[in-house]
Amino acid sequence: MMNDADLLKIMDLLCPMHAVVDAAGRLVSVGPTLKKLRPDLEWAGKRFFRIFDMTRPRRVRSMDDLVKTAGTKLHLQFRDSPQTGLKGMLIPLPDGQGALINLSFGISVLEAVRDYDLTSADFSPTDLTIEMLYLVEAKSAAMEASRQLNLRLQGAKIAAEEQAFTDTLTGLKNRRAMDHILERLIGSGTDFALMHVDLDFFKEVNDTLGHAAGDAVLQSVARVMVECTRQSDTVARVGGDEFVIIFERVNETRVLAGLAKRLIRLLEEPVPYGGKMCKVSASAGTTLSTWNSGTVDAAAMLHQADLALYAAKRAGRSQHLFYEEGMQKDEPETAENGVH
Amino acid sequence: MHGLINRAIQAFVVSTYGEDRWANIMESADLGFSEFEAMLFYTDAQSTKMLRALERSQERALSEILEDTGTFLVSNPQVEALRRLLRFGGVNYVEFLHSLDDLPDRARLAVADLHLPALELVEISPGQFDLICQPGLPGFAFVLMGVLRAMADDYGDLVILDYRGTQDGTDQSAEVISITLVETDFAEGRTFDLGAHSL
């Protein structure tokens, strides 16, 4: 016949985190792994509720309450730190001799293994804890490898976008493409005209009708610009509402002035968006490569077109001016732009 | 072949011989890219080209290079994760050997599309084992040799490994590695702390 000591030995192996409490709610013995969690504690004789705090069900206060939970899932934690959370189940012992409570870590097992330096010997071989730890580590390692891949792909995507030559909103060339084209024209000594176009009242559209309306305007503006120019010309969006048009082998100011006038007129036609009409206009400034003696410099030409554009804006907007020597951004304008 | 396997070989070459050597090998392999991604898939033809280029560059038998790769995977601190995952297999070397039967399943738990050949451990006598490695991943048995050797060191045991070739001499049959456990606790092994992994 098995006695209590034999039973406890079996319990130590099968359920190394069990506790036996007597009818008064005092601990009689605990399994080896549970003991390991508080190695300096003298368990025997201590009241179960002195060591553990019942978190669910809440109303369990006395040994009688505890015994009534038989067979249901208990949530408890150590009263002192580290307050490791535990799951448990109680089975009453025969003849009111107390109860057997089996405990396990539940989801807190990862911290517990670290906090208490547990090894596989602390778990019963049929316990799946070791497999779970394995799985957590394997998943973390696999996730890390995936994360690294995502980071590299993200970097590659950004690099590819930076290298792209197209403005994604309008389908026009972007500033980078414009730089390449200017470089090519200057390198081959080809004459060209450079027109800087800036929308007027675009900010008002954005502010009153929203960015989606602004985007619709920009797309419409891009279409107009492409329609007004030849296949061999370059239309680039170089800023929020700024555009540069490069006319290859065009030196005649009369042609350019006429084109600019037509362009501004077409840009002033309202763009319908969401039942409203978006109205913008444009100012433009143009310079010619032939006006630059010696080596033509892309930055210098962009600056000239920019000065002409500012002159056009100051002259009342919605107009086009050619660059003239001596043009400069005057003081109030620079101050307003915060440039010094 | 799974990116993880290609990437493991890349990690071994880069760590042992440097980035330049790897760049040369990949140039010679002429695959059109220079690095393998662990979480992507590559064709067997791509992996074979890389392995051939590796063999040419090292002027050593591929089997030896693969065995060194296996050793590297367990013993190099850079790839600590794999060593830890293998140590979950058992508290001592013999238990670890028995856990190899589950290795392909364990690998699949971690990375669902990673298929490793089936392994079977046969205990001939106490301390004497044959590990039967099914075909499907050419060279895997050599990588395993390196892993088995390094894991013995990890547990502090002394073993003799012998690659016995294929069971019936053809390329399509299973390969056999014989393992003789000479001495347990031969040396101080490395510690394995269940909770050392930071989450």
Side-chain angles (χ1 to χ4, degrees):
Chain A
M1 193 61 194
M2 253 189 326
N3 59 29
D4 287 357
D6 292 335
L7 260 174
L8 284 177
K9 266 184 208 152
I10 292 172
M11 288 304 296
D12 280 354
L13 290 172
L14 284 179
C15 307
M17 288 181 67
H18 74 272
V20 178
V21 288
D22 64 17
R26 290 182 187 276
L27 285 155
V28 177
S29 67
V30 296
T33 302
L34 190 53
K35 200 175 280 174
K36 192 173 172 176
L37 306 188
R38 292 292 185 275
D40 299 328
L41 182 65
E42 191 56 60
W43 293 79
K46 287 276 186 319
R47 284 186 52 229
F48 182 80
F49 286 111
R50 270 290 295 269
I51 296 167
F52 297 107
D53 182 22
M54 188 74 71
T55 53
R56 258 183 297 157
R58 274 264 166 219
R59 282 163 304 161
V60 177
R61 299 248 184 276
S62 65
M63 186 57 195
D64 282 348
D65 295 341
L66 191 60
V67 171
K68 281 186 195 130
T69 69
T72 66
K73 185 159 75 176
L74 308 175
H75 292 261
L76 29 93
Q77 63 182 37
F78 276 101
R79 285 193 182 274
D80 62 339
S81 180
Q83 289 176 304
T84 309
L86 298 164
K87 285 202 311 183
M89 187 182 80
L90 175 141
I91 299 163
L93 292 177
D95 311 323
Q97 290 178 60
L100 175 74
I101 303 165
N102 192 27
L103 298 170
S104 88
F105 290 112
I107 206 70
S108 69
V109 67
L110 299 171
E111 290 83 35
V113 162
R114 200 178 47 223
D115 289 347
Y116 303 113
D117 210 6
L118 300 177
T119 71
S120 53
D122 293 317
F123 298 96
S124 157
T126 51
D127 187 331
L128 288 177
T129 298
I130 302 300
E131 279 75 8
M132 187 178 126
L133 293 174
Y134 165 83
L135 208 51
V136 168
E137 277 203 45
K139 281 290 165 206
S140 308
M143 279 295 287
E144 177 60 18
S146 279
R147 205 180 61 84
Q148 292 292 337
L149 172 60
N150 282 338
L151 281 176
R152 278 193 294 274
L153 290 179
Q154 174 74 2
K157 181 168 164 272
I158 289 169
E161 278 171 359
E162 279 171 1
Q163 281 168 18
F165 290 111
T166 308
D167 172 53
T168 47
L169 177 65
T170 60
L172 297 176
K173 300 272 191 296
N174 60 16
R175 179 178 282 277
R176 201 180 147 82
M178 178 198 74
D179 288 341
H180 276 268
I181 289 160
L182 284 177
E183 200 180 314
R184 176 173 59 78
L185 292 173
I186 291 167
S188 64
T190 311
D191 291 348
F192 63 94
L194 194 153
M195 185 182 288
H196 193 175
V197 184
D198 188 282
L199 299 186
D200 297 322
F201 316 115
F202 178 70
K203 192 176 177 303
E204 285 81 343
V205 170
N206 252 344
D207 288 351
T208 57
L209 300 173
H211 286 284
D215 287 352
V217 168
L218 289 172
Q219 284 164 344
S220 161
V221 163
R223 258 194 312 278
V224 169
M225 286 185 174
V226 169
E227 279 162 15
C228 281
T229 53
R230 301 167 303 169
Q231 186 76 42
S232 58
D233 300 330
T234 300
V235 184
R237 179 172 172 229
V238 298
D241 59 347
E242 282 180 65
F243 302 82
V244 166
I245 308 178
I246 301 168
F247 302 93
E248 257 185 77
R249 300 174 206 279
V250 177
N251 289 326
E252 286 179 68
T253 51
R254 190 180 50 82
V255 172
L256 291 163
L259 189 138
K261 202 171 168 188
R262 201 162 81 86
L263 180 66
I264 291 169
R265 198 184 68 233
L266 288 172
L267 291 180
E268 283 178 342
E269 281 180 14
V271 178
Y273 179 83
K276 294 248 169 66
M277 294 309 255
C278 311
K279 286 182 192 171
V280 295
S281 181
S283 302
T286 303
T287 187
L288 300 187
S289 63
T290 50
W291 292 347
N292 289 260
S293 53
T295 335
V296 181
D297 177 45
M301 280 196 63
L302 284 166
H303 184 59
Q304 290 166 3
D306 192 38
L307 290 175
L309 167 67
Y310 266 90
K313 288 234 177 211
R314 268 203 313 280
R317 303 189 178 189
S318 307
Q319 50 187 297
H320 168 252
L321 288 178
F322 284 102
Y323 169 69
E324 286 167 35
E325 221 156 298
M327 272 183 175
Q328 50 184 276
K329 295 187 184 178
D330 59 9
E331 285 311 311
E333 195 83 40
T334 33
E336 197 177 295
N337 283 299
V339 180
H340 300 284
Chain B
M1 204 183 279
H2 200 282
L4 267 175
I5 299 171
N6 294 291
R7 181 81 185 185
I9 296 167
Q10 176 183 335
F12 163 68
V13 174
V14 168
S15 162
T16 315
Y17 303 104
E19 301 270 2
D20 291 349
R21 177 75 65 92
W22 178 251
N24 290 339
I25 289 168
M26 287 305 277
E27 204 162 295
S28 156
D30 194 25
L31 291 171
F33 56 89
S34 59
E35 297 204 11
F36 286 98
E37 284 295 347
M39 284 293 141
L40 297 182
F41 227 88
Y42 299 90
T43 63
D44 285 353
Q46 286 175 315
S47 300
T48 305
K49 276 187 178 178
M50 179 269 285
L51 290 172
R52 293 282 160 258
L54 172 63
E55 196 173 20
R56 281 198 299 278
S57 130
Q58 300 299 93
E59 296 179 342
R60 288 167 67 201
L62 193 56
S63 56
E64 287 175 29
I65 304 171
L66 291 177
E67 191 174 331
D68 286 354
T69 304
T71 305
F72 164 84
L73 289 177
V74 174
S75 56
N76 192 290
Q78 269 181 18
V79 276
E80 173 76 3
L82 180 67
R83 177 217 161 222
R84 286 189 53 82
L85 292 178
L86 288 170
R87 281 288 296 246
F88 272 104
V91 291
N92 57 48
Y93 191 66
V94 172
E95 236 184 68
F96 160 74
L97 287 178
H98 282 288
S99 79
L100 290 174
D101 288 8
D102 301 332
L103 187 70
D105 288 336
R106 280 179 176 266
R108 240 194 333 276
L109 269 183
V111 181
D113 56 359
L114 176 59
H115 297 281
L116 297 181
L119 299 172
E120 189 190 345
L121 188 80
V122 181
E123 188 163 4
I124 310 288
S125 61
Q128 178 68 52
F129 306 88
D130 275 355
L131 182 65
I132 298 163
C133 177
Q134 294 298 327
L137 189 60
F140 182 58
F142 296 111
V143 177
L144 260 184
M145 291 268 289
V147 168
L148 291 174
R149 209 183 291 287
M151 286 305 285
D153 284 349
D154 215 274
Y155 282 104
D157 288 3
L158 183 63
V159 297
I160 295 172
L161 301 175
D162 188 17
Y163 177 74
R164 305 284 282 277
T166 52
Q167 276 178 322
D168 64 4
T170 67
D171 280 356
Q172 283 79 43
S173 68
E175 294 161 284
V176 180
I177 299 169
S178 88
I179 304 158
T180 310
L181 191 58
V182 180
E183 202 176 334
T184 56
D185 300 327
F186 171 73
E188 182 85 4
R190 284 168 72 191
T191 55
F192 177 62
D193 180 355
L194 272 186
H197 174 72
S198 63
L199 288 173

